[in-house]
Amino acid sequence: MQYENSLAFARQLDKNDALRAYRKEFFIPKVNGKESIYLCGNSLGLQPRSVQKHIQTELEDWKNLGVEGHVHARHPWLYYHHFFSKSVARLIGAKAGEVVVMNQLSVNLNLMLISFYRPKGKRVKILMQANEFPSDYYAVEQQVRLHGLNPKECIVEVLPREGEVTLRTEDIVAKVAELKDELALVMFSAVNYYTGQFYDIKTISEACCKHKIVFGLDLAHAIGNVPLQLHDWHIDFATWCSYKYLNSGPGGVSGVFVNNHHAKNFDLPRLAGWWGNDEKTRFRMHKHFVPQAGAAGWQLSNAPVLSMAAHKASLEIFDQVGMRALRQKSELLTGYLEWLLQSALQSADAKVHFRIITPTDKKQRGAQLSIQTERNGKKLFDKITKAGVIADWREPDVIRVAPAPLYNSFEDVWRFAQLISAV
Ligand SMILES: *Cc1c(COP(=O)(O)O)cnc(C)c1O
């Protein structure tokens, strides 16, 4: 598409946008009494208007039924986690039994590592990406220590080449091959939180499969953002959060994927609680844990229904829209933003000092662009914030912006680019 830098053109794109009606399904925060330009959906997605109704339903059932709500609520609480399987499985390319919604992301990451990081003999190492999210480092580091091993020796990072910021697939694959007999696990965020790079997960997984190395994913910045085929890609396990692109509210419930080829591997060590036990015998209060087959067997506690109600509201929207249409708009929207920023850079005005560190290849990114500022970055950020932009500043010099295709408009993106050029 031939883009143009004008408000009229941005509005024309909005008019032609098949998803434009969805913006009205969300509350857009205001700054100084005016709708903000909200570009922070990669950090906390906006509230769908339908959330209140869904939470209200559970509050009423609790009010009117008390404990009976476990069985007689409109959405019986006993089975609450079942209500998500199909929707979540669709988002990540999984079979329904391969997913379960539960806990929080870092909790689930630890649960998954307990089962899937099984150092043995020479195979003790974990391969990660450089610049991974801190919580993931902490989890991996402590898991290594739980095995009495030294994180300094066991955690290996794939680094960008000199002068580069993102990683090359061939370098990741080469590292897997180089360390093949020492790796117990490869653990990657599918989309890097800082650069916005979407890795070639299929190719990395093929390398792991070839050398029989377990491959796990953190989908925090990937779910609801980029197309995923976890089952077909032979991913062993994954976890994510629901409050970023999935718009399910602060601290919203997480979920895990466990590939069907581990579904009945009851020898895998795991942490346990009654909710992971076979549903038929859960209330017999036996002493011995009989895990359910599949991802559900990793549950510990009964479902946090109020928080899950928000998740349910949000997933209904994803069910309606589907990832294909969402991705289509997302590529166009982020593409337009990139084009506008690049034009600003190429304009005669030499005062613009930034570069985009997110890959230019659409296949290697989702909805996020990370803008690295040369100097006075924080000042620039503060100025656009004052002007009504809600975005994200990452020390030392990066502004992250994420046009979310469910509620951001082409006009949002155009106005943002105008502000960046102006200040
Ligand atoms: C957002 C994010 C987290 C946050 O973890 P919580 O347990 O949800 O607080 C962890 N890891 C990554 C990669 C993230 O992007």
Side-chain angles (χ1 to χ4, degrees), residues 104-106 132-133 135-136 189 193 218 220-221 241 243-244:
Q104 261 51 52
L105 168 53
S106 301
E132 180 56 278
F133 195 85
S135 197
D136 300 48
S189 275
Y193 82 101
D218 185 328
H221 285 265
C241 53
Y243 50 81
K244 292 173 180 168

Side-chain angles (χ1 to χ4, degrees), residues 205-225:
S205 184
E206 280 163 8
C208 292
C209 284
K210 187 171 159 197
H211 302 297
K212 296 195 164 48
I213 301 161
V214 178
F215 186 28
L217 294 179
D218 185 328
L219 304 179
H221 285 265
I223 193 165
N225 178 22

Side-chain angles (χ1 to χ4, degrees), residues 77 195 264 313 352:
W77 305 328
T195 62
K264 294 196 172 159
V352 188

Side-chain angles (χ1 to χ4, degrees), residues 117 231 272 416:
Y117 172 55
H231 180 84
F416 170 77

Side-chain angles (χ1 to χ4, degrees), residues 171-184:
D171 291 356
I172 302 168
V173 168
K175 202 75 184 168
V176 172
E178 179 197 324
L179 297 174
K180 60 182 194 286
D181 299 323
E182 298 163 60
L183 286 176

